[in-house]
Amino acid sequence: MATQLELARQGKITEAMEIVAKQEKMDVNLIRERVAEGTITICANVNHTSLIPRGVGKGLSTKVNANIGTSSAYPDIEPELIKLQAAIDAGADAVMDLSTGDNIDMSRRAIIEKSTVMVGTVPIYQATVDAIKKHGAVVDMTADDLLHAIAVQAKDGADFMTIHCGVTREVIQRMRKQGRIADVVSRGGSFITGWMLHNQKENPLYERYDDILDICRQYDVTISLGDGLRPGCLADATDRAQIQELIILGELVDRAWAKGVQVLVEGPGHVPFDQIAANMKLQKQLCKGAPFYVLGPLVTDVAPGYDHITSAIGGTLAAANGADFLCYVTPAEHLALPTIEDVHEGVIASRIAAHAADIVKGIPGAKDWDLKMAKARKALDWQEQLKLAIDPKKAERYRNARNTPNTEACSMCGDYCAMKIVGEYLNKPMDLCD
């Protein structure tokens, strides 16, 4: 079976391309051309039957991902399925199942079955949990264990998979030489780094990359090249290890495209505001325009409880400078497993960042949305304002809680509403002789 990338190269327009073109208000032939060149990815596993395809990449609206999944402390899948629906209802374009608790297979399959949006996974999580059960320790995990987890998740319908192929011995050595404050904060990156240091061997995900691509091609899984050494604090941003890994990821992009496999490239992380634009442009250059998927970036380390805000600040600048896909950060980041409300708040914050960037990027329809809201505010049309709000239910709660029924203005200004006062006078004819 041919992948979206291979079909696009053959000049064929698929149903998924037509759906994406309609969503984005773009010519389907342009979608096909960019899929063919790799600058647009349509993450759509052939076995994910409930999926409504979406595109990620050049010229498309900035997409938002929400992370969900069980943990060893909270192994129950039911709350995660509620979070899945909460993320979709809030407007997420994708979810990632990061389950590490018991019954990982059951959790993933339930999420994929019920999800109408793209589902991503991180196979090394399952491989490490299984390795502990099978061998007694993560460091005893084998290359075959890793490939088995990738194959199972691909067959189950994962649309994209984060795989940490760029963490090589050379990259780790650069990190050790330069030194870091937070070392490795990627969970998958830490697993593979620990394995390599213990066994004194090269990363099996790097050595077996061609085998991984064969699995991905079979199900049209998009490989999301994970940044295992992404900076976990501002002090570690844009260091030699991060950039060396990115160089390797650029080479792996070429190899994936050569095999007909679609690619995303993952990026930082914690990055000072003034370094974000350079990071985005460097990735696009080294990875030949492959879609870029970033976590945040978070622009400060000191806001636990508000990291959805620090993430949105960085996400806006990142997307305006070329990032295509934002992974949300919730208020619970660095503190705890997110609640359903945290998931909602994280998605909305990232969607605000994405939309602000889409206005800058000239995405079709982005400015129109704001113009409609401006006109509704001028007309004091509250129903239209609530309808247009990015989070209508929250906006309605505030409106109803602090205003009397049928009030024309809002309780902030009351009788002194600027738009109402000026509107009354502007609508009167002027006496030009006065």
Side-chain angles (χ1 to χ4, degrees), residues 28-176:
V28 70
N29 291 294
L30 183 57
I31 298 292
R32 185 202 62 76
E33 289 172 8
R34 291 179 178 174
V35 172
E37 69 185 14
T39 56
I40 285 179
T41 292
I42 300 177
C43 306
N45 188 310
V46 295
N47 287 344
H48 187 180
T49 56
S50 59
L51 176 70
I52 300 172
R54 285 167 169 79
V56 180
K58 184 177 178 180
L60 306 185
S61 58
T62 306
K63 301 304 185 295
V64 170
N65 171 73
N67 290 337
I68 60 174
T70 63
S71 70
S72 55
Y74 293 93
D76 186 6
I77 182 57
E78 290 306 319
E80 302 312 306
L81 294 178
I82 297 173
K83 290 178 189 177
L84 165 66
Q85 192 58 52
I88 294 172
D89 291 344
D93 303 287
V95 297
M96 289 198 76
D97 173 24
L98 307 186
S99 293
T100 55
D102 293 333
N103 300 315
I104 294 177
D105 285 326
M106 182 184 70
S107 299
R108 178 180 60 258
R109 289 163 186 162
I111 289 170
I112 291 172
E113 179 185 359
K114 294 181 180 299
S115 179
T116 56
V117 301
M118 300 178 281
V119 176
T121 63
V122 188
I124 196 171
Y125 294 176
Q126 179 165 19
T128 54
V129 170
D130 290 347
I132 292 171
K133 293 177 181 177
K134 181 179 178 181
H135 305 294
V138 173
V139 293
D140 293 327
M141 177 173 57
T142 68
D144 287 341
D145 292 334
L146 286 164
L147 263 67
H148 174 73
I150 292 169
V152 168
Q153 296 192 8
K155 185 177 181 181
D156 283 347
D159 300 297
F160 63 100
M161 293 194 291
T162 294
I163 303 179
H164 303 85
C165 305
V167 182
T168 64
R169 298 184 75 179
E170 178 186 15
V171 172
I172 294 172
Q173 188 61 20
R174 286 185 186 276
M175 180 185 70
R176 297 177 95 172

Side-chain angles (χ1 to χ4, degrees), residues 336-356:
L337 192 72
T339 64
I340 294 166
E341 183 58 30
D342 292 331
V343 168
H344 177 86
E345 290 289 320
V347 171
I348 295 297
S350 285
R351 284 189 61 211
I352 293 169
H355 177 65

Side-chain angles (χ1 to χ4, degrees), residues 6 23 25 51-52 164 166-167 171 209 218 226 246 300 316 334 411:
E6 290 170 323
Q23 291 168 347
K25 302 180 178 63
L51 176 70
I52 300 172
H164 303 85
V167 182
V171 172
Y209 186 61
Q218 183 178 358
L246 183 58
T300 179
T316 301
H334 302 110
S411 58

Side-chain angles (χ1 to χ4, degrees), residues 16 32 38 65 67 87 113 116 145 149 160 194 200 210 222 229 251 255 296 329 346 366-367 390 395 397:
R32 185 202 62 76
N65 171 73
N67 290 337
E113 179 185 359
T116 56
D145 292 334
F160 63 100
Q200 292 296 299
D210 285 334
T222 296
L229 294 188
E251 295 168 351
R255 290 172 60 184
V329 173
K367 284 186 178 179
I390 200 165
R397 284 202 308 272

